[in-house]
């Protein structure tokens, strides 16, 4: 049922899918589109919650094990005295990541995604019932480790950050263009391992990102030795400032999820009807 | 499928012969998976025997630098004319129900 990898239905949107199903058990294309439009609607609602509390929300995406949780731990260590931070963790089965964040002394809520391979806006909204937003400056959402479908779901957040660890290879932006087109910032993680790898080039990774017509900034860092974390913290702080300025103008920040083609083409009236045959007599 | 059935119903079709969906390579949708999802959801409906076709849409970009429209590749969305990266995607990330072919009763 998934529009990408077979599992579009998450516990958060399952009730909608069920309600959507007519008697003869049909779904698919229209449901895919409806699912996404329902998700977008929920995402706008979530964003309104965030904007009401003036909390900048960052969606962290990467392959499994690229270092999302390690980055969050290091970030919280640096910022917990100056900013109020919380984390929503999307994890398939375990609470490990949530416990690691809580050990840093900030609130974390775990969304058990079960077999789903991405978070959606409904799952995030459910999580908001368990997390106090008031007084927060920054909310991180650690998405499920997956470079495929998380990119297609707006959660109501403001910025997409995509991690690429040096052990994954510099060709990943070319192999997962849907994900990397959506990046507002690309982070190259685990740079402390670069001396042991002879085939990863940050320049190539950046060129591959650039080839997707994405001019997002790129920051290299290591959560282990702390290199590059200053640049990342500076980026975060400038994003908070930019976001607050937008709020003052009654505007909000939106992540880079460009569906230009979709918007240009998927207008009603694009579905054409061709009666090809009048074989009815044969069938009667 | 809802859209297919609505179209079928409004046209009093007895049978859906062919469903044609256009998929942009950047939509994140796998044609094969969509096809299998379709065949499952068509079971037991008038679209049960429908042929399901997917057409891949070209990726086209419009350059904001030189104004030229060009065809691009999935992992190279730069302007093919001037090489600029300041491009706007014109097509390639959409999922469209393009055509439904039906057999009518009249
Ligand atoms: N050498 C090195 N290892 C790192 C670094 N950051 C994370 N790791 C290691 O990489 C592994 C995965 O790190 P996590 O932070 O759990 O990665 P994640 O992206 O949160 O993983 P999932 O949530 O499972 O997708 C762990 O064994 C970390 O110790 C780094 O900067 N350098
Ligand atoms: Mg993690
Ligand atoms: Zn999936
Ligand atoms: Zn709400
Ligand atoms: Zn998924
Ligand atoms: Zn050009």
């Amino acid at each position: 049922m998934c529009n990408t990898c077979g599992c579009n239905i998450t516990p958060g949107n399952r009730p909608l899918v069920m309600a959507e199903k007519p008697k003869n058990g049909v779904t698919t294309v229209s449901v895919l589109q409806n699912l996404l439009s329902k998700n977008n609607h929920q995402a706008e609602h979530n964003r309104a919650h965030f904007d009401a509390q003036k909390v900048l929300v960052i969606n962290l995406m990467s392959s499994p094990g690229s270092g999302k949780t390690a980055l969050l731990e290091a970030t919280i260590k640096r910022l917990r005295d100056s900013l109020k931070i919380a984390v929503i963790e999307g994890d398939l089965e375990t609470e490990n990541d949530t416990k690691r964040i809580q050990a840093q002394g900030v609130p974390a809520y775990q969304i058990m995604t079960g077999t789903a391979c991405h978070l959606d806006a409904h799952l995030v909204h459910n999580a908001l019932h368990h997390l106090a937003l008031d007084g927060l400056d920054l909310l991180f959402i650690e998405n499920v480790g997956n470079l495929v479908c998380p990119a297609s779901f707006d959660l109501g957040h403001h910025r997409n950050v995509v991690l690429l660890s040096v052990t994954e290879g510099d060709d990943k932006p070319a192999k997962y263009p849907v994900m990397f087109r959506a990046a507002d910032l690309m982070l190259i993680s685990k740079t402390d391992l670069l001396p042991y790898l002879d085939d990863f080039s940050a320049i190539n990774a950046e060129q591959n990102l650039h080839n997707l017509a994405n001019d997002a900034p790129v920051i290299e860092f290591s959560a282990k030795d702390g290199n590059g974390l200053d640049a990342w913290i500076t980026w975060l702080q400038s994003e908070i400032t930019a976001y607050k300025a937008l709020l003052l103008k009654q505007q909000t920040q939106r992540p880079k999820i460009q569906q230009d083609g979709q918007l240009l083409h998927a207008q009603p009236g694009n579905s054409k009807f061709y009666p090809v045959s009048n074989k009815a007599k044969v069938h009667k | 499928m809802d859209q297919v059935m609505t179209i079928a119903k409004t046209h009093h079709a007895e049978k859906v012969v062919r469903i044609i969906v256009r998929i942009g390579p950047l939509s994140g949708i796998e044609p094969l998976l969509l096809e299998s999802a379709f065949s499952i959801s068509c079971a037991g409906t008038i679209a049960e025997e429908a042929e399901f076709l997917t057409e891949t849409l070209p990726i086209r970009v419009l350059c904001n630098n030189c104004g030229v429209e060009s065809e691009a590749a999935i992992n190279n969305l730069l302007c093919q004319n001037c090489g600029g990266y300041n491009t706007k995607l014109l097509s390639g990330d959409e999922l469209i129900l393009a055509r439904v072919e039906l057999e009518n009763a009249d």
Side-chain angles (χ1 to χ4, degrees), chain A residues 110-175:
Chain A
Q110 162 108 29
I111 299 177
M112 292 278 203
T113 46
T115 54
C117 47
H118 59 266
L119 296 180
D120 68 24
H122 298 93
L123 287 169
V124 168
H125 188 259
N126 291 347
L128 296 184
H129 296 150
H130 304 272
L131 206 64
L133 288 179
D134 52 302
L136 283 185
D137 298 298
L138 196 51
L139 173 67
F140 289 104
I141 302 176
E142 180 178 334
N143 218 309
V144 181
N146 175 356
L147 279 181
V148 186
C149 43
S152 307
F153 293 84
D154 187 357
L155 307 177
H157 58 287
H158 303 104
R159 282 293 180 227
N160 284 326
V161 173
V162 182
L163 272 80
L164 169 64
S165 66
V166 296
T167 53
E168 292 170 67
D170 51 30
D171 58 348
K172 285 296 168 295
K175 284 190 177 166

Side-chain angles (χ1 to χ4, degrees), chain A residues 62-71 73 89 91 97 100 142-145 189-193 221-225:
Chain A
S62 78
S63 309
S66 300
K68 298 180 292 297
T69 311
L71 171 67
E73 289 170 311
E89 282 287 345
D91 201 338
D97 288 356
R100 282 165 63 187
E142 180 178 334
N143 218 309
V144 181
S189 63
K190 308 193 189 180
T191 51
D192 57 288
L193 297 176
F221 81 99
S222 159
K224 198 156 212 167
D225 63 22

Side-chain angles (χ1 to χ4, degrees), chain A residues 1-6 20-22 24-34 36 148 152 173-175 177-178 181 207-208 210-215 258-266 270-281 283-284, chain B residues 1-5 7 9 11 14-15 17-18 21 25-30 33-34 37-38 40-46 52 73-78 84-106:
Chain A
M1 227 39 90
C2 185
N3 59 341
T4 44
C5 48
E20 197 71 25
K21 249 187 185 170
N24 39 8
V26 274
T27 11
T28 339
V29 168
S30 68
V31 171
L32 289 180
Q33 293 191 326
N34 286 344
L36 285 182
V148 186
S152 307
K175 284 190 177 166
V178 177
R181 270 183 83 224
Q207 184 59 50
N208 285 331
H210 206 71
N211 287 347
L212 303 175
N214 188 347
D215 61 349
Q258 307 147 312
Q259 286 179 318
D260 308 347
Q262 187 105 26
L263 292 174
L264 282 170
H265 295 270
N270 246 335
S271 304
K272 287 199 190 96
F273 162 70
Y274 292 110
V276 274
S277 56
N278 271 351
K279 280 190 268 170
K281 286 127 211 157
H283 280 270
K284 264 176 191 164
Chain B
M1 264 323 285
D2 285 351
Q3 284 174 19
V4 173
M5 287 305 159
I7 293 168
K9 248 179 239 149
H11 296 277
E14 288 201 324
K15 200 170 157 206
V17 182
R18 205 166 288 133
V21 173
L26 283 166
S27 65
I29 291 157
E30 263 316 312
L33 288 165
L34 186 65
F38 241 101
I40 293 165
S41 60
C42 289
T45 72
I46 57 165
F52 183 79
I74 184 156
N75 47 27
N76 187 343
L77 301 174
L78 303 180
Y85 66 85
N86 187 5
T87 61
K88 181 178 166 59
L89 195 71
L90 293 176
S91 89
D93 64 350
E94 57 277 82
L95 169 66
I96 306 170
L97 176 62
R99 264 195 339 261
V100 179
E101 299 181 348
L102 307 165
E103 277 183 15
N104 303 66
D106 43 280

